[in-house]
Amino acid sequence: MDQQQLTHAALTATKLAKKGLLLKVGALACAVFLILLILAGALLPSPAVASSSCEDTGAGTGSATTGSSGGTAQPATGSVHDQQITNAKAIDHVTQKLGLSGKATLIALMTAMQESTLQNLHYGDRDSLGLFQQRPSMDWGTKEQILNPAFATESFFKGRGTNPGMLSIANWPTRPPGDVAQAVQKSNFPGLYAGHETTVRALAKEAGINLARGGTAAPNDTGGSGSSTTADTSGAVPSTCPHPNPETPGNGGAGGTFSDGKQTWKLSNPRSVPEAIAWAKAHAGAGSNSGWYQRCLAFTAIVYGWNFSGVNYAIDHFHVVPKDMQHPGDRNPPPGALLYWDTGHRAGHIAVYLGDGKAASNDILRPGYIDIVDADLFEKKWGAKYLGWTVPVFPRAG
């Protein structure tokens, strides 16, 4: 049961109280109990946010199926990894039904891993939904249809409405899979799809999916559905796994002390800067639990009162923040700012600056725990490259 459902139940219980004293007492107790559950959910970090490499897209609460695109979707259950396995099998089922090769499955899995971490999300940027983050307002189908993995996968391959699908992309079988994914999705971050290939191949092997499988359909056979154009309008970049810092936000450095800058922000986070700093301090050190391993981006979002950041990788959040709020290489962040490092790995690292040269971060002293440390310790201990800071805004959070 999610927070909206709990809230609705609490309100319903309260209304029933008007029907009699006995009902009033029972409903009030129920409402109080449910509200306490809601508050507990807001105060405790959701375990479903956790995933490897500082990824953070929140819990996957949509549906997965291996049935036809017109059928009723069955929910993918279990851990995030279990849901990914279920959804990967659902995608491959549609691929085989259409007579497509294992490479088509690979492209679809890489796309879904980037868009939704291969979870059937019922939320996203604006009205984006599902495995491929397709939008009802952009003619990809109704909300219910898009949340059916079979329907969404078929749309990805064949196209839907005015949207071309993978089968409409010229020479897709011979092109790098990341380029093909970008040609369909038209992302503002075209190089990110390719970075998921290794992970997706391992996941497919675990799920028993044969990515070397040949196909029986013609390479550009759309089956009479969707757009049939073969023009390459992808604007794709060469599909190589991107450097953790593709735009090189700052010159970084081998180390250096941090001093406090001044802030004049007007923010709309659930928590104010003083409240966020106080929360971070209260949940660090002896106050930390052990559930923060590789959850740096999740931690910063939760510090400011959000349930999730809506961004897959910590280092990518730098570029999600508006450019006028980015401060590449600057070592004078105001208290409350978000600090970024290139760790040499895809995800990078992010922490909350507390002021007086200190930052709150996971994993820096104890794996899985939050500690307060000197902000330059990430460079000294990990050999990380400092990239800069941003204003603590979360454009894709929820």
Side-chain angles (χ1 to χ4, degrees), residues 50-370:
S51 55
S52 64
S53 302
C54 286
E55 295 180 12
D56 169 36
T57 54
T61 56
S63 304
T65 181
T66 56
S68 67
S69 61
T72 301
Q74 300 298 319
T77 58
S79 67
V80 171
H81 184 71
D82 291 340
Q83 293 177 52
Q84 290 174 329
I85 293 290
T86 299
N87 291 327
K89 290 179 178 179
I91 288 172
D92 188 57
H93 180 85
V94 175
T95 311
Q96 293 189 60
K97 182 180 178 181
L98 295 176
L100 299 174
S101 65
K103 182 171 182 179
T105 296
L106 174 64
I107 294 168
L109 292 179
M110 288 169 60
T111 303
M113 186 64 79
Q114 169 59 29
E115 296 292 349
S116 65
T117 61
L118 203 49
Q119 298 177 75
N120 199 19
L121 304 179
H122 70 290
Y123 54 82
D125 180 37
R126 288 169 285 189
D127 60 335
S128 299
L129 297 163
L131 290 168
F132 300 95
Q133 290 292 280
Q134 296 154 334
R135 299 178 59 190
S137 65
M138 298 300 289
D139 210 17
W140 281 104
T142 66
K143 176 180 178 180
E144 291 73 19
Q145 289 173 326
I146 293 172
L147 287 174
N148 183 323
F151 182 93
T153 302
E154 185 176 283
S155 298
F156 175 80
F157 288 136
K158 292 185 175 183
R160 188 73 62 179
T162 59
N163 302 293
M166 186 200 76
L167 296 178
S168 300
I169 305 303
N171 304 315
W172 71 263
T174 59
R175 294 179 59 178
D179 289 3
V180 180
Q182 168 62 13
V184 179
Q185 301 296 102
K186 299 178 176 63
S187 170
N188 290 328
F189 304 94
L192 297 183
Y193 298 104
H196 296 288
E197 183 168 356
T198 300
T199 299
V200 160
R201 286 187 178 277
L203 187 75
K205 182 177 181 180
E206 182 179 349
I209 296 172
N210 180 14
L211 297 179
R213 179 189 71 246
T216 59
N220 288 91
D221 179 11
T222 63
S225 175
S227 172
S228 60
T229 177
T230 58
D232 178 10
T233 58
S234 67
V237 298
S239 184
T240 56
C241 188
H243 186 272
N245 178 30
E247 296 183 25
T248 315
N251 295 325
T257 58
F258 287 78
S259 58
D260 296 0
K262 295 182 179 180
Q263 62 97 348
T264 57
W265 310 323
K266 293 182 179 179
L267 306 176
S268 58
N269 294 316
R271 291 194 184 101
S272 67
V273 171
E275 290 171 340
I277 291 176
W279 192 97
K281 290 180 177 179
H283 290 78
S288 175
N289 61 38
S290 61
W292 297 105
Y293 181 63
Q294 292 188 335
R295 297 182 62 204
C296 53
L297 184 54
F299 172 69
T300 60
I302 291 171
V303 163
Y304 276 94
W306 300 104
N307 290 324
F308 57 89
S309 72
V311 179
N312 285 350
Y313 296 107
I315 205 166
D316 294 342
H317 194 265
F318 187 99
H319 303 291
V320 170
V321 174
K323 285 189 177 297
D324 62 351
M325 297 183 178
Q326 300 173 7
H327 298 270
D330 184 74
R331 290 181 179 270
N332 299 286
L338 306 181
L339 308 179
Y340 301 80
W341 289 268
D342 179 347
T343 60
H345 298 284
R346 172 65 184 87
H349 192 72
I350 187 172
V352 178
Y353 186 65
L354 304 179
D356 296 324
K358 303 291 185 180
S361 172
N362 63 313
D363 298 343
I364 184 63
L365 295 184
R366 302 172 294 163
Y369 290 85
I370 305 298

